[in-house]
Every structure is written in structure tokens, then in C-alpha cells.
């Protein structure tokens, strides 16, 4: 019996003695990775692979490819285990794959892939540093002027400016840090960033802006250039320096902001918080009232406290007084029916008061003004009545309407916004798109002096507009020579609402004016040819008693003709005729202009262009006739390694020539009229080069 069963049981007994998972030498090779695919690894961490069978000695070898490089030479084989130790060589950082090939002779066979996440230097999951440097040169080689034309302050000059930026983005453990630095410089003091503010003390190399933002989960912290918030009348989205911290949990998000009261640049006051009397502090809370549908119903609240000194910012100059305000505001946003209905409503309450300002008062005794608390509101409702409603296979209809309302009470003021006070505005518009035809109509009315102060003039303004566009060539593709037509009409009527008391207003002093504007145009576009015609007519109709004929009428006809004789060349001709009439004095003026421009690109980065414009003006009241001619020719050349966006640098040389002359008839008496012909020509150069 045993002798009979032994031959039958031998194969099973032999198989039982073979270790689990081993296969014959001819079996297909598979590979298993022994690291967690979701885990981030150091760039020099060893990687272990398990083979389903040993390699055939002398006939097979492995190739371990990461990011296009084979790291098999750094691997050690221990039977069916392969250990890759990248000593002295770093694996490419980022998320990629390790691809394993079996190489037999010249044949490469892929046998497995394993996700690989490698940390960058410093232990970051990703680290990117992007520098940029651009140099610019603007110069003038020569200039000549006639005796009647005053020369420029500098006949020759070479100004050099530059901008440099450094951006970094670091990510690790769910946190991300993004920084941005922008620096500008100039060789001439007048070109310095803060020359208007500091004059000759302005640094030649200055910091334009910077920011550092850290985010992790729902928390964020931003310093440097920030946008404090957006509440139409309380705090507008102006850019300034400060610090912002945010925290989002579920449907709610809270943001705390402290920022400078004006836009600032430069290396000093990096955080924008050096002066407590020139700061804006705000808290903003947003809550999604329907968390399952973000944006469907959102409520926002804003608290603001701020004070500003008489410093409007480095970009403009003004004489202002110190101010202080504290306010609160709410905003409600809603969307429904797949965003066909959209609502935004805001309400603000602000207490404003002038702040003590020693620069204005000095040692003078002044009476402090009492603070005022005022309110403002704004709302907009937009409804898409029809959205791509099909009338046929080729024609779809879109119909949308918008209504707006805004009211800002007298003396309303917030140091973080610039809403005009003492105004109420109501507006509505309706737009229709019927295939290629587009129509729009709008109406708005504005009123001031909301408190109806009897001694203050109250003005009512009504504005109506309508626009239409019809691209006939698009509507009828078989007739490409048909034009695209556009037309618009607008009427604005501003009038006084009654006569103020105790103001010595005469009927002629009360505004009552209607302005009508009509604009129409046609454009033709063919393969090489293009043409356009435009007509504009405007009438300023004064209706005050005694000024019924103090009207001003103007009309413009303009024609443009262009042709591209070849792919690298273009020629454009322009002509216009403008007439102006002052009806009360029957004064008439005319202005005629004729111009031509041409461009040619003989090589990929070489551009030649030229232009000439002649203008003739006539003034019937003073019998003056003026002529002016100006010509321009320019050669520009790109250079440097070409990229997708074009060359890294471009240089140009430009010749400009201007001639102007004014004459009068012998019977006209115009004292002090400058005589002679004015002439100016110059040769300028420029260079822009992107170093990094």
C-alpha cells in the first residue's frame, strides 16, 4: 500500500518542502517595494525592493530609474532583496515614481513601479526658489530744437533702472510658506521709487513690496503687502503693509488685520505697524449659512478701528488732516438656481471724528469738532432670466437683469474707504443676447443733499444708455465682406431740485443741462484687408433761463484702412474730421488728421516700424490756423536665448521729428500770438534685458 501511494504523494511532499513564494527560474519577475508610498523619505534614505525570484546570473540585470536617471549602480543585491543606498547622490526631490526594468541584452522590460516621495533640502516636501532680475535703459543720444521751441532740461542722458524679485515656496507636513520680495533701483535720483516723498534723500535701491504667507490647514498668517478686506463703505480692498491672521473651522472663517493707514514702500517700517496713530485694525468673520452648498448663503461681519495721519501715501500728494473712525458692517451674499440669481447686500455704520493734528494747529487754539455716526448701505441683485435658451440649432438667447441701490448718509466717513457721502444712487440694466446680436439698456438716477438742507443746492442726475452690437459677418459666414456694426446712445440730465434759500441763487445759476452722445461704427475684416468707420456726435444742451443757446456741439468722422501685404508686414492709414460749434457765440473749430503707420518684421526678433501724422486745425473765432506734423521711425532687436515668451532682451533706437506752426489772417487781432515755426527732433534708445 505504501509502495503504491508513494509515487502519487511525492510531488505534493516536494512542493511542501519548497519555501512559500519561490518560483522557477523561468517565471516572470515581479517587484514589491518595502516602503510606505504615502511617507516622505529623505533624499539619502535606503530603498529596499523584494524580487519574486533571483536574477539569472550573467543574463539579467536591473535598471532602477528615478526622474530619468538610472540608480542601479548604487544598489546592492542580497538574493531576492535589492537595497538602493544613494550615498553621495541625492534622489530627485518631489513626488515621482521608481521604475524597475529587467535588462536582458538590449531589451528593457518594465517589471514594476513604486510611488516615491522624496524630501527636498532642509526636510521640505517641496522647495522652490525663483529669482528674477530685469535691467532697463532709457537714453537720449541727441536733441535739436528751433528757437521758438524750449529745449528739454537734458538734451542727452542715459538712465538705468532695474527690478529684482525673489520668490520662494516651501511645503512640509501640511504647512506651506510662500515669500515674495520685489526690489527696484535706478541710477538717477529723480527715477528713485520715493523721490516725490523724500527728494534727494530717496534711496536709489528700494524695496517696492514684500510678503510672507504661512498656511496650514485652516490657519494662515500673512505679513508684508496685504489686502485688509472688502466692505464697500467701511474697508475697501486697497493694498498696504500689515499683518493678517486667519482661522477657518467648518463653515466659519475669522481674519484679524493690522495694517498701515496708507500705502507705503521702502526698507523702513517693514511690517507697516511702526506708528499706532497711522493704523487700521479690523476683524472679519464669514459664515456659510448653508455649509453643504458653499456660496449659496454667506454672512460676513466686519469690525474696524483706525486712525490716519495727514499722509496720503507715497504715490500722491495732498493736504489732509488727521482722522479717526470706528465702524461695523454686515454683508449678505446669496446664490440660487445654479447661480441664476445672485444677491449681495451690505450695511455699514461708522463713527468718524477729526484727530488732533499739531502740524495744522500749531499753537493755535481750535475748537474740536464733535464726532458723527452715520450709516451706508448698498445692494445688487442680478438675475439670469434666460441662459442659453435654444430657439433653434443655431440661435440661443441670454437675458439678464441687474438692479442696484446705494445710499450713503451725509458726513459718513471711514478712514479705510473712500465712499462719497451724501448720495443716493439707483440703477438697473437689462442685457439681451440673441445669437450674434447683443443689446444692453441701462438707467441710473442720483441725488444728493439727502438731509434736504434748505440752503444747500440739491442736484438730481438721470442717465440712460443703450448699446447694440451686430456682427453680420459672423451671422452670415457665407458673406465675409459684411461688417460688424456697433451703436450706442446715452443721455444725461442734471438739474437743480428747487432753489436754495439764503444763497442768492439766480435762475441762471441753477444747473439744468442735458448731454446727448451718439456713437456708431462699422468694422470689416477680410483675409488681408481691414477697414473701420466711426461716427460720434455729442450735444451739451444748457437749459437755464438766459443760457438756452449756450450749447456745445461736436461731431467726429473717423476712417481706418489696413492691409497686411505679407505675413510679416502691416500698413495702416487713418483719417478723421472733427467739428465743434459753440452756438451762443457761433464759434466754429475744426480738426483734421491724416496718419499712416507701417511695420515689418524681417527676422524673428527684428522689428521695423514707422509712422507719420499730419494735423490741421482751424479756429473761426480767432482766425487761427495751426498745422502739425510728427514722424517716427524705430528699429528694435531682440536677443538672448529664445524662450516660449520670446527673447530675453530687446534693444531699440527711435527717431522722432515734430514740426508745428500757427498762423492767423491779416485782419485778425490776437495779441501775444507766438510767431515762428517750432521744430524738435531727437534720437532715443532703450534696452530691456531679463538677466534671470
Amino acid at each position: 500500500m505504501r509502495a503504491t501511494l508513494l509515487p502519487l504523494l511525492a510531488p505534493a511532499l516536494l512542493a511542501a518542502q519548497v519555501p512559500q513564494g519561490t518560483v522557477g527560474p523561468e517565471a516572470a519577475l515581479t517587484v514589491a517595494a518595502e516602503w510606505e508610498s504615502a511617507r516622505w523619505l529623505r533624499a539619502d534614505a535606503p530603498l529596499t525592493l523584494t524580487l519574486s525570484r533571483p536574477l539569472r546570473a550573467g543574463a539579467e540585470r536591473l535598471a532602477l530609474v528615478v526622474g530619468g536617471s538610472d540608480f542601479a549602480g548604487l544598489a546592492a543585491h542580497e538574493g531576492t532583496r535589492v537595497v538602493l543606498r544613494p550615498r553621495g547622490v541625492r534622489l530627485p526631490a518631489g513626488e515621482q515614481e521608481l521604475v524597475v526594468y529587467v535588462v536582458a541584452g538590449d531589451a528593457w522590460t518594465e517589471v514594476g513601479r513604486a510611488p516615491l516621495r522624496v524630501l527636498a533640502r532642509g526636510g521640505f516636501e517641496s522647495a522652490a526658489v525663483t529669482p528674477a532680475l530685469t535691467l532697463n535703459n532709457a537714453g537720449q543720444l541727441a536733441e535739436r530744437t528751433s528757437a521758438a521751441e524750449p529745449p528739454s532740461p537734458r538734451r542727452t542722458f542715459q538712465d538705468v533702472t532695474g527690478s529684482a524679485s525673489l520668490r520662494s515656496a516651501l511645503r512640509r507636513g501640511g504647512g506651506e510658506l510662500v515669500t515674495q520680495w520685489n526690489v527696484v533701483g535706478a541710477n538717477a535720483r529723480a527715477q528713485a521709487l520715493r523721490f516725490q516723498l523724500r527728494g534727494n534723500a530717496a534711496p536709489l535701491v528700494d524695496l517696492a513690496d514684500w510678503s510672507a504667507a504661512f498656511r496650514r490647514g485652516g490657519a494662515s498668517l500673512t505679513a508684508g503687502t496685504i489686502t485688509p478686506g472688502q466692505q464697500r463703505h467701511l474697508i475697501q480692498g486697497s493694498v498696504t503693509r500689515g499683518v493678517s491672521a486667519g482661522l477657518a473651522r467648518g463653515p466659519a472663517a475669522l481674519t484679524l488685520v493690522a495694517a498701515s493707514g496708507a500705502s507705503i514702500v521702502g526698507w523702513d517700517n517693514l511690517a507697516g505697524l511702526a506708528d499706532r496713530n497711522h493704523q487700521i485694525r479690523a476683524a472679519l468673520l464669514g459664515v456659510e449659512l448653508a455649509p453643504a452648498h458653499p456660496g449659496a448663503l454667506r454672512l460676513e461681519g466686519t469690525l474696524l478701528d483706525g486712525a490716519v495721519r495727514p499722509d496720503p501715501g507715497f504715490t500722491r500728494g495732498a493736504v489732509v488732516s488727521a482722522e479717526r473712525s470706528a465702524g461695523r458692517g454686515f454683508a449678505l451674499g446669496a446664490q440660487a438656481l445654479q447661480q441664476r440669481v445672485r444677491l449681495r447686500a451690505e450695511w455699514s455704520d461708522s463713527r468718524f471724528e477729526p484727530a488732533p493734528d499739531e502740524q495744522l494747529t500749531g499753537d493755535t487754539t481750535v475748537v474740536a469738532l464733535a464726532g458723527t455716526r452715520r450709516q451706508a448701505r448698498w445692494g445688487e441683485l442680478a438675475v439670469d432670466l434666460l441662459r442659453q435658451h435654444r430657439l433653434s440649432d443655431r440661435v440661443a438667447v441670454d437675458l439678464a437683469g441687474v438692479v442696484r441701490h446705494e445710499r450713503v448718509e451725509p458726513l459718513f466717513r471711514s478712514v479705510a474707504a473712500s465712499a462719497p457721502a451724501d448720495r443716493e444712487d439707483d440703477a438697473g440694466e437689462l442685457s439681451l443676447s440673441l445669437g450674434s446680436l447683443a443689446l444692453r439698456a441701462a438707467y441710473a438716477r442720483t441725488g444728493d443733499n439727502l438731509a434736504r438742507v434748505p440752503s444747500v443746492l440739491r442736484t438730481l442726475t438721470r442717465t440712460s444708455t443703450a448699446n447694440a452690437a451686430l456682427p453680420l459677418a459672423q451671422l452670415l459666414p457665407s458673406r465675409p465682406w459684411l461688417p460688424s456694426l456697433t451703436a450706442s446712445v446715452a443721455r444725461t440730465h442734471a438739474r437743480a431740485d428747487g432753489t436754495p434759500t439764503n444763497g442768492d441763487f439766480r435762475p441762471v445759476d441753477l444747473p439744468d443741462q442735458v448731454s446727448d452722445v451718439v456713437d456708431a461704427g462699422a468694422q470689416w475684416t477680410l483675409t488681408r484687408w481691414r477697414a473701420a468707420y466711426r461716427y460720434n456726435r455729442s450735444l451739451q444742451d444748457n437749459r437755464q433761463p438766459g443760457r438756452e443757446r449756450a450749447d456745445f456741439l461736436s461731431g467726429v468722422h473717423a476712417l481706418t484702412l489696413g492691409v497686411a501685404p505679407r505675413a510679416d508686414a502691416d500698413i495702416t492709414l487713418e483719417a478723421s474730421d472733427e467739428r465743434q460749434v459753440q452756438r451762443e457765440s457761433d464759434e466754429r473749430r475744426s480738426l483734421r488728421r491724416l496718419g499712416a503707420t507701417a511695420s515689418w518684421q524681417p527676422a524673428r526678433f527684428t522689428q521695423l516700424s514707422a509712422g507719420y501724422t499730419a494735423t490741421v486745425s482751424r479756429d473761426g473765432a480767432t482766425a487761427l490756423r495751426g498745422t502739425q506734423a510728427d514722424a517716427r521711425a524705430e528699429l528694435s532687436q531682440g536677443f538672448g536665448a529664445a524662450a516660449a515668451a520670446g527673447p530675453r532682451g530687446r534693444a531699440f533706437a527711435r527717431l522722432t521729428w515734430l514740426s508745428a506752426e500757427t498762423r492767423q489772417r491779416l485782419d485778425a487781432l490776437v495779441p501775444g500770438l507766438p510767431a515762428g515755426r517750432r521744430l524738435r527732433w531727437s534720437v532715443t534708445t532703450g534696452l530691456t534685458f531679463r538677466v534671470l
Side-chain angles (χ1 to χ4, degrees):
M1 182 70 178
R2 292 180 179 178
T4 305
L5 295 177
L6 185 59
L8 299 175
L9 297 176
L13 295 174
L14 181 62
Q17 296 176 5
V18 177
Q20 188 72 20
T22 61
V23 295
E26 300 301 326
L29 180 66
T30 59
V31 180
E34 295 188 4
W35 64 85
E36 299 179 16
S37 60
R39 178 186 172 193
W40 285 87
L41 306 173
R42 300 192 316 272
D44 57 353
L47 305 177
T48 303
L49 301 169
T50 301
L51 307 181
S52 62
R53 64 170 175 80
L55 296 175
R56 295 197 301 271
E60 293 178 332
R61 67 178 180 86
L62 288 183
L64 308 176
V65 179
V66 180
S69 300
D70 186 2
F71 289 84
L74 303 176
H77 293 256
E78 302 171 357
T80 58
R81 287 169 55 86
V82 179
V83 181
L84 173 61
R85 293 183 174 88
R87 295 176 179 174
V89 178
R90 298 179 61 87
L91 293 173
E95 300 187 39
Q96 44 205 323
E97 285 185 318
L98 169 64
V99 185
V100 183
Y101 296 89
V102 170
V103 183
D106 294 334
W108 287 49
T109 303
E110 181 181 328
V111 295
R113 289 173 176 257
L116 195 60
R117 311 177 86 183
V118 180
L119 294 172
R121 294 184 184 275
F124 294 102
E125 297 170 5
S126 66
V129 179
T130 307
L133 175 61
T134 301
L135 299 178
N136 303 282
N137 166 255
Q140 184 165 282
L141 301 180
E143 181 190 66
R144 293 292 183 271
T145 58
S146 62
E149 181 74 2
S152 301
R154 297 189 299 169
R155 289 183 177 272
T156 61
F157 59 88
Q158 292 293 328
D159 291 337
V160 179
T161 60
S163 61
S165 67
L166 181 64
R167 187 180 189 277
S168 67
L170 308 174
R171 185 162 56 90
R172 180 177 180 178
E176 184 181 26
L177 175 64
V178 179
T179 65
Q180 176 83 38
W181 295 81
N182 294 310
V183 178
V184 296
N187 71 324
R189 193 73 61 180
Q191 303 293 328
L193 182 63
R194 288 187 286 174
F195 177 76
Q196 292 185 349
L197 187 64
R198 302 182 60 177
N200 291 330
L204 295 178
V205 179
D206 216 343
L207 178 64
D209 61 80
W210 75 280
S211 65
F214 176 77
R215 301 178 184 87
R216 180 165 183 166
S220 64
L221 178 64
T222 304
T225 302
I226 64 171
T227 301
Q230 182 64 49
Q231 177 96 18
R232 185 180 183 90
H233 303 113
L234 203 60
I235 178 170
Q236 291 181 339
S238 57
V239 177
T240 184
R241 279 189 190 172
V243 177
S244 172
L247 180 62
R249 285 291 183 270
L254 175 65
T255 303
L256 303 178
V257 177
S260 171
S263 298
I264 57 176
V265 296
W267 301 101
D268 47 347
N269 197 8
L270 280 177
L273 306 177
D275 188 354
R276 290 186 55 85
N277 293 320
H278 195 58
Q279 278 186 24
I280 296 172
R281 295 168 291 275
L284 303 95
L285 177 64
V287 180
E288 294 287 349
L289 301 182
H293 304 280
L297 189 61
R298 179 178 175 84
L299 180 63
E300 300 173 2
T302 302
L303 294 177
L304 172 73
D305 179 71
V308 295
R309 291 186 182 277
D311 178 14
F314 79 102
T315 58
R316 56 193 176 96
V319 178
V320 296
S321 61
E323 300 171 341
R324 180 183 295 118
S325 71
R328 55 186 175 173
F330 297 96
L332 179 67
Q335 299 177 357
L337 301 177
Q338 297 180 341
Q339 299 186 6
R340 289 176 179 266
V341 180
R342 302 174 299 277
L343 171 67
R344 176 77 178 183
E346 297 185 9
W347 173 86
S348 299
D349 177 271
S350 178
R351 176 176 175 81
F352 169 80
E353 59 185 14
D357 188 354
E358 297 180 356
Q359 295 181 355
L360 294 180
T361 59
D363 57 357
T364 304
T365 301
V366 297
V367 178
L369 298 178
T372 57
R373 179 178 293 278
R374 295 292 186 268
Q375 298 178 356
R377 64 176 183 258
W378 176 84
E380 179 181 89
L381 175 64
V383 180
D384 295 339
L385 302 172
L386 295 174
R387 182 187 293 177
Q388 287 296 296
H389 179 72
R390 309 299 302 187
L391 295 181
S392 66
D393 293 339
R394 297 181 54 187
V395 179
V397 180
D398 290 296
L399 179 62
V402 179
V403 292
R404 301 182 185 89
H405 169 75
E406 182 176 22
R407 180 184 174 90
V408 185
E409 294 185 349
L411 302 180
F412 180 92
R413 179 81 172 99
S414 172
V415 296
S418 57
D422 198 13
R423 285 172 60 93
E424 183 169 356
D425 298 280
D426 295 288
E429 65 180 67
L430 191 66
S431 59
L432 170 66
S433 174
L434 179 61
S436 300
L437 175 64
L439 301 174
R440 177 183 174 273
Y443 176 79
R445 63 182 185 182
T446 301
D448 55 13
N449 189 13
L450 303 184
R452 305 298 178 93
V453 179
S455 59
V456 176
L457 177 65
R458 174 176 168 83
T459 304
L460 303 179
T461 304
R462 304 290 184 264
T463 302
S464 304
T465 59
N467 310 88
L470 179 59
L472 294 176
Q474 181 180 344
L475 184 63
L476 301 172
S478 61
R479 296 176 173 83
W481 47 268
L482 291 175
S484 295
L485 304 176
T486 59
S488 66
V489 294
R491 163 168 283 207
T492 301
H493 186 188
R495 63 177 181 84
D497 184 20
T499 303
T501 60
N502 302 324
D504 294 332
F505 280 91
R506 301 170 301 170
V508 71
D509 299 326
L510 302 177
D512 190 359
Q513 184 182 93
V514 176
S515 298
D516 291 313
V517 179
V518 177
D519 193 278
Q523 299 83 34
W524 293 263
T525 303
L526 301 176
T527 304
R528 292 188 175 183
W529 294 86
R530 65 186 183 278
Y533 169 76
R534 175 177 173 268
Y535 170 73
N536 178 273
R537 180 182 183 274
S538 62
L539 172 63
Q540 179 180 301
D541 181 10
N542 287 290
R543 299 182 175 183
Q544 302 99 313
R547 297 200 63 203
E548 291 86 349
R549 289 192 53 80
D551 303 333
F552 186 79
L553 175 67
S554 67
V556 179
H557 298 268
L559 180 64
T560 302
L561 180 63
V563 60
R566 45 188 292 174
D568 57 2
D570 187 85
I571 301 173
T572 303
L573 302 176
E574 298 179 328
S576 65
D577 183 14
E578 180 178 354
R579 303 297 176 95
Q580 301 175 353
V581 178
Q582 217 290 341
R583 289 179 173 175
E584 188 173 36
S585 59
D586 198 25
E587 297 179 4
R588 299 176 181 270
R589 300 180 178 87
S590 65
L591 181 68
R592 294 180 176 178
R593 181 180 292 107
L594 180 64
T597 59
S599 63
W600 177 40
Q601 188 175 347
R604 183 182 178 187
F605 298 138
T606 304
Q607 184 80 30
L608 285 169
S609 62
Y612 177 82
T613 303
T615 305
V616 177
S617 61
R618 289 185 173 88
D619 190 332
T622 58
L624 295 180
R625 181 180 185 273
T627 59
Q628 179 174 308
D630 62 87
R632 173 187 57 83
E634 180 179 306
L635 168 64
S636 66
Q637 176 65 51
F639 59 91
R648 296 180 62 183
R650 179 167 290 275
F652 75 86
R654 181 184 301 134
L655 170 66
T656 57
W657 178 84
L658 174 65
S659 173
E661 186 175 12
T662 303
R663 296 181 179 180
Q664 65 180 89
R665 293 203 304 262
L666 296 177
D667 56 349
L669 299 177
V670 183
L673 179 68
R677 181 185 180 191
R678 304 189 306 276
L679 179 66
R680 176 192 298 270
W681 66 265
S682 63
V683 178
T684 56
T685 59
L687 171 67
T688 298
F689 182 64
R690 189 176 68 254
V691 181
L692 298 173

